[in-house]
Amino acid sequence: MDALTILLSLGALALVAYLVRSFSSSPQPIASKTSEKKDVAQVKEKMKEETKEVRYITKEEVAKHNSRDDVWLIIDDKVYDVTKYVDEHLGGDAILNYAGGDSSIGFHGDQHPVKVKEVLWEFYIGDLKK
């Protein structure tokens, strides 16, 4: 066998070994509701740390921000300006269904991974005034 044949054989073996490892690894467990609640609690705590003075925003003010170019959402009595996130939303325009309103139910749906809760605080602008 010449050197090229040996190198190609070794490359093929390495590829097969990689594929076997990739497909034989056990799947990652889906986060439990308990760990999800813990993650949410950590995010809320981080939001408190990041925000020294809370801004209170009325439902009427939030309702004014209901277009693709200006999207505010209420989630669990917190207000988020997600305008910069609209085009990145993996669910497409579904994020606009609640633009200017309460998106708590939609946000807590099964379609959202736990990670989205960690990112949410970046868009926090205040608490809903009651």
Side-chain angles (χ1 to χ4, degrees):
M1 291 172 62
D2 63 3
L4 181 59
T5 304
I6 293 171
L7 285 174
L8 289 174
S9 297
L10 290 174
L13 286 174
L15 177 61
V16 169
Y18 170 78
L19 292 173
V20 167
R21 277 191 311 248
S22 297
F23 290 108
S24 67
S25 64
S26 60
Q28 296 296 318
I30 296 173
S32 68
K33 292 289 181 184
T34 305
S35 67
E36 185 173 316
K37 286 180 182 177
K38 183 179 176 186
D39 290 340
V40 171
Q42 289 173 342
V43 169
K44 286 181 178 179
E45 187 61 35
K46 186 167 186 168
M47 285 170 36
K48 286 180 186 176
E49 292 171 9
E50 296 284 330
T51 309
K52 293 185 170 60
E53 188 174 321
V54 177
R55 174 181 172 198
Y56 291 96
I57 305 167
T58 65
K59 282 186 179 182
E60 293 78 19
E61 177 64 24
V62 174
K64 295 175 186 176
H65 303 273
N66 61 4
S67 68
R68 172 178 283 286
D69 299 324
D70 185 17
V71 183
W72 287 14
L73 300 174
I74 300 167
I75 301 171
D76 299 331
D77 295 328
K78 304 284 185 205
V79 180
Y80 302 89
D81 180 352
V82 295
T83 306
K84 293 179 181 177
Y85 181 72
V86 170
D87 292 332
E88 297 176 36
H89 186 247
L90 296 177
D93 287 347
I95 195 170
L96 300 174
N97 291 343
Y98 300 101
D102 194 327
S103 181
S104 299
I105 292 173
F107 179 79
H108 291 296
D110 292 335
Q111 76 281 6
H112 286 133
V114 174
K115 288 281 185 192
V116 76
K117 292 165 182 69
E118 296 173 10
V119 175
L120 186 62
W121 70 269
E122 293 177 30
F123 302 99
Y124 173 78
I125 57 172
D127 284 2
L128 186 64
K129 185 174 183 180
K130 296 182 183 188

